Amino acid sequence: MLRIGDILSGLLQWAPASLAWDRDNIGLLLGSAEAEVRRVLVCLDVTPDVAKEAAERDVQCIVAHHPIIFHPLKSIRTDSTSGALIADLLRDEISVIAMHTNADATHGGLNSALGAALLLENMRALDPARGQRRQVLFRVSEGEDPTESCTHVLKADENRTCALRRLEDGQWEIDVETTVWDASGLKSTMQHALGSRLVAMHTIALEDKLQNHGIGAVGRLAEAMTAEDFTAFVKKQLDCPIIRTTPFLSEARISTVAVSSGAGSSYVEAAVRAGADALVTGDLTHHTFLDYQHDILLVDAGHYGTEKLFIRLCSEVLSTMPFQDTQKIDILTARTDTNPIRFV
Ligand SMILES: [Zn+2]
């Protein structure tokens, strides 16, 4: 019997949690890791129509790119769209896993797929992942061994190592090395577990570089193109009916190309610094086009247009997981069109 937890750990091996943005919300967001799974549905967004499709197609687990719960959840009201959606999914015993910025940043993830769709060669990360690990030191007042009160925190896993030592003054020090993503939640967990016995806590950023992983990608086209040819090529390769671009500079040839899936405004500067002739991304604003029009060809293929590749990519990842040899499960891709933008 394959469990939701098995799907989750397989996905996290492909896109480690340590690569997720620290304010992201990824992993199993709804349901139980213990529940059995026979059928998975991959989508970009969990909308009420996607939930309905999942129930109709006898799916036990949805794997989505965007987290179904992102902002702090203050209520689950079934007279609101989001509350009713959560209630319906729980009623139908459908779990939801989100693979978001970790899937953007992993080598072989969404940005690699976007670059590959544009036939880029010699790709590297546009903004390599770095400084993703943290050492968090907790000082606990003297007295009995605090292990008992925080056993769940002291449990090491593939992302987290823990050590407990008694200091000369009788106080205790708990030394945790973990991901930036895990560290933010860990502090409130420890405050809750130790109460007034927690005397101090201190976080240290650890130096590490994961050159192969990171947000965005930059690579080269096999042959340079004019801006006009390049934009037509992007439309064809990404199957986008309409794209927005900065004005074409007549002499410009496009050879080095950067990509950043989803909202890429904050990576324009990195693309210019990387020497890219063009950046293909989504969600660019008027002022971004205005400010960079002489520096780089900006190509906005839309948030959906640059992320819809997730559906095929993630279903391929799931279809080739080792458990498929012994406990084969069905991997479905959502038929529901969740692009919330229409071009008229
Ligand atoms: Zn997105």
Side-chain angles (χ1 to χ4, degrees), residues 44 65-66 100 104 110 261-263 283 303 307:
L44 207 57
H65 184 47
H66 293 131
H100 192 210
D104 289 334
L110 188 48
S261 59
D283 286 352
H303 196 116
E307 286 193 339

Side-chain angles (χ1 to χ4, degrees), residues 47-226:
T47 64
D49 285 339
V50 169
K52 194 161 161 261
E53 181 186 338
E56 281 167 5
R57 297 175 81 184
D58 189 28
V59 160
Q60 295 78 42
C61 176
I62 295 175
V63 179
H65 184 47
H66 293 131
I68 187 171
I69 302 168
F70 190 69
H71 302 292
L73 194 59
K74 292 184 177 158
S75 64
I76 303 176
R77 288 186 52 161
T78 52
D79 57 353
S80 74
T81 307
S82 58
L85 175 62
I86 290 173
D88 286 350
L89 288 162
L90 291 173
R91 182 201 60 211
D92 294 333
E93 297 183 352
I94 299 171
S95 299
V96 178
I97 292 172
M99 290 286 117
H100 192 210
T101 48
N102 54 327
D104 289 334
T106 193
H107 184 63
L110 188 48
N111 280 294
S112 312
L114 184 57
L118 298 176
L119 312 182
L120 299 185
E121 297 171 355
N122 298 321
M123 267 193 285
R124 60 185 165 83
L126 179 60
D127 183 23
R130 69 179 85 76
Q132 297 288 316
R133 294 199 67 79
R134 296 285 182 272
Q135 183 181 20
V136 193
L137 296 168
F138 298 95
R139 184 68 80 94
V140 185
S141 63
E142 54 189 311
E144 64 182 45
D145 185 334
T147 313
E148 192 82 329
S149 358
C150 45
T151 38
H152 54 296
V153 177
L154 293 171
K155 210 169 88 193
D157 59 25
E158 67 259 38
N159 287 318
R160 195 192 277 178
T161 59
C162 310
L164 172 74
R165 47 185 166 262
R166 187 164 202 166
L167 303 172
E168 279 179 9
D169 61 6
Q171 291 191 340
W172 298 83
E173 186 176 70
I174 300 172
D175 180 349
V176 183
E177 194 188 315
T178 188
T179 65
V180 64
W181 180 74
D182 184 40
S184 51
L186 190 60
K187 292 176 192 168
S188 47
T189 311
M190 285 297 261
Q191 271 166 335
H192 182 72
L194 293 164
S196 60
R197 282 203 70 197
L198 185 62
V199 181
M201 54 186 173
H202 183 53
T203 305
I204 302 159
L206 299 174
E207 255 314 303
D208 61 345
K209 271 197 190 241
L210 303 157
Q211 285 293 351
N212 282 333
H213 304 287
I215 295 289
V218 57
R220 290 179 73 84
L221 294 167
E223 274 183 47
M225 296 182 198
T226 62

